[in-house]
Amino acid sequence: MYTIDLIREVLELKSYRIADYNQQITELVYDSRKVNQPEHSLFFALTAARDGHDFVNDAYLRGVRSFVVSKNVPFLETLSDVNVLIVADVLDALQRLAVYHRLTFDGTVVGIAGSNGKSVVKEWLFQLLSIDKKVYQSPKSYNSQLGVALSLWNLTAQYDIALIEAGISEPGEMERLQSLIQPEVGIFTNIGLAHSQHFISKQAKLSEKLKLFQQSNVLIAGSKYVNADQVSSNIKLLQWGEEESDLIQLLSQQPSGKGTELTIKSKDNIHTFEVPFRDRASIENILTCFTAMTYFGYTEPQIIERLQQLRPLEMRLQLKKGIANSSLIDDSYSNDLASLQISLDFLAQQNQHPRKTLILSDMEGLSSSEKLQEKLLGILSRTSLSRMIWVGPDYQWLDKLSTTTILRFASTEDLLHQLETLNIKDETVLIKGGRAFRFEQIVQRLTLRSHGTVLEINLNALSHNLMHYRAMIPNQVKLMAMVKAFSYGSGSFEVANLLQFSKVDYLTVAFADEGVELRMGGISLPIMVLSPDSDTFQTLLQYELEPEVYSMRFLNQFLDFLKANKREGYKIHVKLDTGMHRLGFLPNEVDELIECLNQHKEVKVQSCFTHLVASGDADQDDFTQHQIDTYTNCVAKLEAGVGYSFIKHVANTSAIVRWPQAHFDMVRLGIGLYGVDMDNGNGVLEKVSTLRTTITQIKDLPKTETVGYDRKGVLTRDSTIATVKIGYADGYNRKFGNGIGKMKINNQLVPTVGTICMDMCMLDVTDIEVKEGDTVEVFPDIMQASKDIGTIPYELLVNISSRVKRVYYFE
Ligand SMILES: *Cc1c(COP(=O)(O)O)cnc(C)c1O
């Protein structure tokens, strides 16, 4: 237990003001919305995309009384019941506290770094070891400077082993993480191409990542990734790979019925066993885990037995459409306080249904720990739920939860028997349970069926991309997110809820209908409509949608309508045409516009904007500059003419990056938000949409046979052909036929064969190992795919048919 006074001492502070020296602190928080035990929380005013000092007030109102700040907060000055610690750097203070706590831990700390597979290795080791050991693992994606510190803070003496994941994006970060984690045992998964923009070479990236293990006693790694020259001689290197010298040597691997049959040599013993995976990455992760288990003293037969129980992971929470107009949040993979909190935060973001239901299972250790029960009660009582469905022992303490209705079931079976009686409809349901409860059976019963092709939307990536662009604009510049055309194909309220939660300033749709859908989904942000139509004026007013006004004719129609409805001061967005020549007032029409606006009180200019035609194209920079100049002149005239100011905006994604002088008061972020990099940022953006389908049938065909309509796919060799469930009706363009399109199966690219059919197409899988039912990634590289058929990524994304089910992931 830490008191605020002890924390002050740990941080060696001279500047502080403490009202209650004995205040116990158990939780470190940095988001005022995520406070569970306010009196025991210490709020860190971190400065990231937003300044945490601006939220001190909110945290106080929620009951927090202890704060770490790096500048004077006038609000706190007025209070006498607060503990305020003043530091030079808030994140640094949080980290120093975490290190102090870390050093009290007597068990073994394992640090995991590498480009890919960190979370999988962490989770698998957790599964393999926790059969007979107490293992702590850093929650989900807590692998950053902040995440690692928070993970360490939750470490307690009850554990034997702690598995901590470390992720970096820039040089210099790993040294900091090393001093935080101080792992005795290191695991390096692999080195790939992700995040290379900040590193000169693969070598530089590798040596940066290896810094995590500077002080470690042992390092586990593949010999193809790390050799003895690259690490200090004090470190015992345990390698796996295909070399004679490797501790765990892979002698052969063969595809088998269940997955892959591996033959390995370990300490002169040869073992052959099957694992339920096919892809190369999983096999490497298996070898990593095997080596680590050997280090922890397990015998080969023990390890092999445990490895066979491993299952592929679905670690991310999924949002999908449920029966009877419900939305399901499926997080049936694990249940502990940290991950429950993440899922509940996500539930809180969902505004599409007023009713929210939580289906929750018992948790490991809950029956015996009063402290855990209390924390869980705290979390639940601060969550607004219409009802909670509890699966597990009938605990007395649950009665204390007076804020919501609780239905109790002793087992998942019991709940499944009575599922219909719950009458789930028009609500958001969070399904959160430990693996042993097999809640996937509930999810299966409540999910709308799909036909095997899904578009996966990674909401964390969307959020990452948003932060990336937000960091590129000054604080006072507003951000408008373009969610037209179903958010470039990725969804409506599902994406908009996240944007609203992330406090973007404006949303933009193309048509009034799209805006209505967002309003029905609980979106209260201001919404601009780009192509309003006079038939939809009533709708605009009813749903508070703000039209783009682009011509005198349109303006007059709208004014007439407002007058008839006795409305005044309705917000409009004036569009200037500075060179696009699509919609908008030409510069020579601005005088007439001013005159009209001055005569009518029915409308008020909320913003004035123009659209750049080639902001991403260096060859057209003179033209872009000309557009910006024209805009600047016209907007000055308009502002002077109407006599009040309004929001000015010009920049789309490429201009945010390339034209900082065109940020004005607001930017309009589109394609970059969805992870498509039109500006060569070298992998700074994260992929948001992944279109996946499955193999329905595989057949071996002799040379000279043909595949598909019109006999276009002529086989020039004996071939294996796979039929997949995606066709042009799903948005897979016919131009991708006859080898132009390439899909990815088990990490390998394969071309199409023959023409693309309406609902299916065929792939040449002769050179790779596949089986029916395998999943296929349709656009492994959307930039390349769009080039291959002479279009742009925008078109491929928005053409993905609405019959393709969207599933949203969040971690
Ligand atoms: C679509 C659109 C944008 C966004 O463009 P991106 O290139 O996707 O960032 C911005 N402004 C207007 C007017 C648009 O129609």
Side-chain angles (χ1 to χ4, degrees), residues 482 484 488 508 528 530 548 575 582 609-611 615 650-654 668-672 674 678 794:
M482 309 306 281
K484 61 192 183 192
Y488 291 47
T508 299
M528 172 168 100
L530 289 172
E548 163 183 323
K575 172 76 157 293
R582 190 169 61 181
F609 70 111
T610 192
H611 196 34
S615 59
V650 172
N652 67 335
T653 303
S654 289
R668 300 190 303 272
L669 177 60
I671 193 88
Y674 305 102
M678 305 298 287
Y794 298 69

Side-chain angles (χ1 to χ4, degrees), residues 30-81:
Y30 62 97
D31 184 333
S32 59
R33 295 168 299 189
K34 300 180 185 172
V35 174
N36 294 307
Q37 296 187 300
E39 63 279 31
H40 298 303
S41 293
L42 179 57
F43 180 84
F44 285 79
L46 292 172
T47 308
R50 323 194 65 206
D51 186 352
H53 294 88
D54 297 341
F55 298 91
V56 162
N57 196 329
D58 187 48
Y60 180 84
L61 293 176
R62 291 174 198 251
V64 177
R65 291 296 175 266
S66 304
F67 302 87
V68 179
V69 295
S70 63
K71 61 186 184 207
N72 204 19
V73 181
F75 170 75
L76 289 176
E77 300 295 304
T78 64
L79 305 166
S80 58
D81 62 342

Side-chain angles (χ1 to χ4, degrees), residues 687 691 731-732 736 742-743 777-782 785 796 800:
K687 186 166 176 170
L691 182 59
Y732 195 61
F736 285 120
K742 307 217 169 29
M743 300 192 191
E777 185 175 352
V778 180
F779 295 128
D781 179 347
I782 199 153
L796 294 187
I800 298 170

Side-chain angles (χ1 to χ4, degrees), residues 743-777:
M743 300 192 191
K744 201 178 206 175
I745 309 176
N746 297 335
N747 254 324
Q748 280 164 296
L749 289 180
V750 291
T752 59
V753 194
T755 50
I756 307 299
C757 309
M758 187 186 288
D759 311 304
M760 282 174 264
C761 66
M762 279 66 90
L763 302 172
D764 179 353
V765 294
T766 313
D767 300 322
I768 67 166
E769 282 298 334
V770 287
K771 57 183 194 311
E772 291 175 352
D774 276 358
T775 48
V776 180
E777 185 175 352

Side-chain angles (χ1 to χ4, degrees), residues 52-330:
H53 294 88
D54 297 341
F55 298 91
V56 162
N57 196 329
D58 187 48
Y60 180 84
L61 293 176
R62 291 174 198 251
V64 177
R65 291 296 175 266
S66 304
F67 302 87
V68 179
V69 295
S70 63
K71 61 186 184 207
N72 204 19
V73 181
F75 170 75
L76 289 176
E77 300 295 304
T78 64
L79 305 166
S80 58
D81 62 342
V82 289
N83 306 313
V84 186
L85 307 183
I86 300 151
V87 301
D89 178 334
V90 176
L91 177 60
D92 179 65
L94 197 161
Q95 291 183 331
R96 280 195 292 141
L97 185 56
V99 174
Y100 180 88
H101 183 67
R102 147 74 186 95
L103 293 175
T104 62
F105 181 65
D106 288 333
T108 308
V109 175
V110 181
I112 307 175
S115 300
N116 301 301
K118 294 185 288 289
S119 307
V120 178
V121 165
K122 179 184 69 177
E123 173 60 29
W124 279 356
L125 276 179
F126 178 81
Q127 287 183 34
L128 295 167
L129 289 164
S130 50
I131 294 172
D132 54 2
K133 287 193 164 41
K134 294 242 175 259
V135 186
Y136 173 81
Q137 59 169 333
S138 51
K140 298 213 174 182
S141 56
Y142 278 35
N143 67 8
S144 63
Q145 298 289 332
L146 172 62
V148 165
L150 295 172
S151 302
L152 293 170
W153 177 257
N154 287 324
L155 202 51
T156 57
Q158 75 186 87
Y159 298 108
D160 306 317
I161 298 175
L163 305 170
I164 309 286
E165 187 184 322
I168 54 165
S169 50
E170 284 173 33
E173 284 193 274
M174 199 53 107
E175 226 149 342
R176 258 181 115 172
L177 290 183
Q178 191 282 327
S179 62
L180 271 171
I181 304 173
Q182 306 191 19
E184 286 125 67
V185 178
I187 293 181
F188 184 78
T189 56
N190 62 23
I191 184 103
L193 287 169
H195 295 296
S196 16
Q197 78 284 4
H198 291 297
F199 297 96
I200 312 156
S201 65
K202 196 164 157 174
Q203 197 51 48
K205 201 164 73 164
L206 177 67
S207 62
E208 173 74 19
K209 288 190 196 279
L210 290 178
K211 284 186 182 151
L212 180 63
F213 314 116
Q214 267 164 4
Q215 315 281 334
S216 302
N217 304 328
V218 176
L219 175 60
I220 293 157
S223 53
K224 66 174 166 182
Y225 297 124
V226 182
N227 59 51
D229 306 340
Q230 288 158 317
V231 295
S232 121
S233 55
N234 304 330
I235 302 178
K236 185 166 170 207
L237 189 57
L238 305 182
Q239 290 167 306
W240 54 263
E242 291 172 29
E243 309 295 325
E244 189 93 46
S245 56
D246 289 331
L247 176 70
I248 302 298
Q249 187 191 359
L250 180 63
L251 297 176
S252 75
Q253 52 176 320
Q254 295 272 318
S256 68
K258 256 176 68 189
T260 309
E261 188 182 83
L262 301 178
T263 302
I264 62 154
K265 192 164 138 213
S266 162
K267 294 184 222 132
D268 296 327
N269 299 319
I270 293 180
H271 300 273
T272 296
F273 58 99
E274 257 190 319
V275 289
F277 304 99
R278 277 261 161 94
D279 62 295
R280 209 189 57 174
S282 295
I283 302 300
E284 291 195 356
N285 293 335
I286 291 277
L287 293 170
T288 302
C289 290
F290 201 114
T291 315
M293 292 297 281
T294 320
Y295 167 77
F296 282 113
Y298 293 91
T299 64
E300 287 92 352
Q302 279 175 322
I303 301 172
I304 290 168
E305 194 201 319
R306 291 185 186 189
L307 281 176
Q308 273 149 343
Q309 314 297 323
L310 286 182
R311 289 289 168 268
L313 299 189
E314 193 47 85
M315 300 202 289
R316 300 171 300 173
L317 161 170
Q318 300 178 32
L319 169 66
K320 38 193 173 186
K321 286 216 157 49
I323 54 163
N325 190 37
S326 61
S327 299
L328 302 184
I329 303 172
D330 171 6

